[in-house]
Amino acid sequence: MQPKARVYADPSRDLDEFERLPDSIVLLIFNKVADVRSLCSCSAVSKRFNSLVFLVHDVYLKIDHVVTIDGDCDDPLSPSSPRHRRLFSNFVKLILSTLLKPFHNLHSTNGGNKPIVPQLSHHSPAQVLKNFAHVRNLRIELPAGEVATEEGVILKWRAEFGSTIQNCVIFGGTRVDRKPVFSEHESPVEDSGSIPDSFYTNGGLKLRVVWTINSLIAASRRHYLLQPIIKDHPTLKSLVLSDADGQGTLNMGVGQLKEFREKPLVASATSNRTQVPASNMKLKYSPYLDLPGGMALQGATLVTIKPSSDGSSGTNTNTTESDAFIFGAFEGPFKVAAKSLMKRRTYLLEMNGF
């Protein structure tokens, strides 16, 4: 007679392998996750996760959609939408509806009914980020660029701020086309390197001025509304505020964040934005510019802006730094186009503060 076999549970299978990882490794994983919504979901998994999530150094906050307090919903991605053009003037009054769902039912794992994060029905990005008290590198992505443009127009900008604007570069073009193929008896349009007279008479210069002013207004609004976030996070070493359209990016590094905290911000008297100081502008233009991939850009324009009060504008060191900023401002074919435009003739303009 065969003896009956007994089945015993393997105690090793009850062990959570993740619990064997030291806290330092778990934090590295959370830093790779970065996304605020995902991190807050992780904090609901266990007491251990809840104690570690808010110690991360790298945080990414994506704002997919915005809703006004009165409940009216609008699509901020539509350039024809009125709220698209007023996105930042109402930004403090907006709530992050995409953050509501993952956070609404999260509660602490300590047995109580206290939410891990505050309810977000009327919370600004500064309040959403408040629990992340150890942030060093913060990236925020807005749902759309603020500067409305006509269909086919390319407009991109990048700005560096301290307590005010330090550098800004704007790249634009009126239309992207497939590069024409010329026959043996045809030649490309002659380009002397100078801006043609038609640029001044057909509204070309006026259009570039509008691009420049609107881009500076958008950048200064973003800068102004970062005040509570920077104030609440003294550990910040890097802050990037971009948009899903890839239209504009605002950057602040260690020295710029320090200046922001120590030097009073000068606000505009007419709107919720930082005042733009009197500045020197350098404009480079090409009526037709080849792009990689068999494409071409019409009306290619590069505008660089620095405050007039910057006394180092003529030094070789400053020129090298400015060039590095411009070359690093854009990616892909736009980076190639910016490098080509840098070889063009420079036209100097001055702009009053506003």
Side-chain angles (χ1 to χ4, degrees):
M1 184 176 179
Q2 297 292 331
K4 293 182 179 180
R6 294 188 178 183
V7 179
Y8 295 93
D10 184 356
S12 63
R13 294 187 178 183
D14 295 332
L15 295 177
D16 183 352
E17 297 295 333
F18 207 90
E19 288 296 329
R20 296 184 178 184
L21 294 177
D23 288 353
S24 58
I25 299 298
V26 178
L27 270 175
L28 282 175
I29 295 172
F30 286 155
N31 275 310
K32 293 294 183 181
V33 173
D35 177 65
V36 166
R37 287 173 293 181
S38 299
L39 288 173
C40 287
S41 296
C42 289
S43 69
V45 171
S46 66
K47 291 182 179 180
R48 185 188 183 205
F49 279 19
N50 189 26
S51 67
L52 294 175
V53 157
F54 300 106
L55 301 179
V56 295
H57 293 158
D58 301 327
V59 172
Y60 167 61
L61 173 60
K62 182 177 182 180
I63 304 172
D64 294 322
H65 196 64
V66 290
V67 181
T68 54
I69 284 179
D70 59 14
D72 291 335
C73 180
D74 196 11
D75 181 6
L77 296 177
S78 172
S80 61
S81 166
R83 285 193 181 85
H84 176 85
R85 293 186 283 273
R86 300 197 308 267
L87 176 63
F88 286 93
S89 61
N90 293 323
F91 193 79
V92 176
K93 300 178 182 179
L94 300 179
I95 59 173
L96 310 178
S97 63
T98 53
L99 295 175
L100 286 174
K101 292 182 180 179
F103 291 168
H104 187 73
N105 294 318
L106 294 185
H107 290 82
S108 173
T109 56
N110 59 9
N113 200 37
K114 183 180 179 182
I116 291 173
V117 293
Q119 296 298 311
L120 300 177
S121 56
H122 298 86
H123 281 58
S124 69
Q127 291 170 305
V128 172
L129 293 166
K130 200 162 188 176
N131 286 335
F132 294 88
H134 302 270
V135 180
R136 295 181 184 176
N137 307 300
L138 174 61
R139 293 181 296 126
I140 302 176
E141 183 180 290
L142 299 171
E146 309 91 292
V147 183
T149 59
E150 295 183 2
E151 186 177 355
V153 169
I154 299 295
L155 181 63
K156 295 181 176 294
W157 59 265
R158 190 179 186 94
E160 289 183 331
F161 276 80
S163 61
T164 188
I165 193 166
Q166 295 181 350
N167 286 292
C168 184
V169 58
I170 301 166
F171 174 84
T174 52
R175 192 171 67 186
V176 177
D177 291 320
R178 189 162 293 280
K179 186 162 51 178
V181 178
F182 297 98
S183 67
E184 295 180 1
H185 304 289
E186 292 179 321
S187 60
V189 178
E190 291 187 7
D191 183 5
S192 63
S194 301
I195 293 180
D197 293 339
S198 59
F199 181 78
Y200 303 100
T201 58
N202 65 4
L205 178 60
K206 180 181 178 181
L207 177 62
R208 273 66 182 182
V209 171
V210 171
W211 287 352
T212 300
I213 292 175
N214 286 344
S215 297
L216 288 171
I217 289 174
S220 62
R221 282 178 175 171
R222 293 189 188 188
H223 180 250
Y224 181 85
L225 292 164
L226 287 173
Q227 290 181 91
I229 294 175
I230 296 174
K231 179 182 177 181
D232 292 341
H233 296 86
T235 56
L236 269 179
K237 294 184 177 181
S238 171
L239 196 160
V240 178
L241 180 52
S242 60
D243 58 78
D245 291 342
Q247 186 183 85
T249 303
L250 183 151
N251 287 77
M252 299 180 74
V254 176
Q256 293 153 336
L257 288 163
K258 181 180 179 182
E259 179 185 309
F260 186 95
R261 296 184 183 102
E262 296 177 351
K263 190 174 180 180
L265 179 150
V266 180
S268 169
T270 57
S271 61
N272 293 330
R273 63 175 178 83
T274 305
Q275 183 175 333
V276 178
S279 302
N280 296 321
M281 301 166 53
K282 296 180 179 180
L283 184 146
K284 296 174 182 287
Y285 174 81
S286 175
Y288 182 91
L289 193 67
D290 290 339
L291 297 176
M295 304 302 290
L297 180 65
Q298 294 189 18
T301 308
L302 189 72
V303 180
T304 57
I305 303 150
K306 285 186 74 71
S308 304
S309 58
D310 186 352
S312 60
S313 58
T315 65
N316 291 332
T317 301
N318 187 75
T319 301
T320 302
E321 292 176 353
S322 179
D323 289 350
F325 171 69
I326 295 168
F327 294 151
F330 310 108
E331 298 179 351
F334 303 115
K335 183 173 185 175
V336 175
K339 286 186 175 181
S340 297
L341 284 169
M342 285 294 290
K343 301 173 185 177
R344 309 281 300 187
R345 184 172 298 177
T346 300
Y347 293 83
L348 304 178
L349 301 92
E350 292 183 353
M351 179 180 66
N352 294 329
F354 61 94

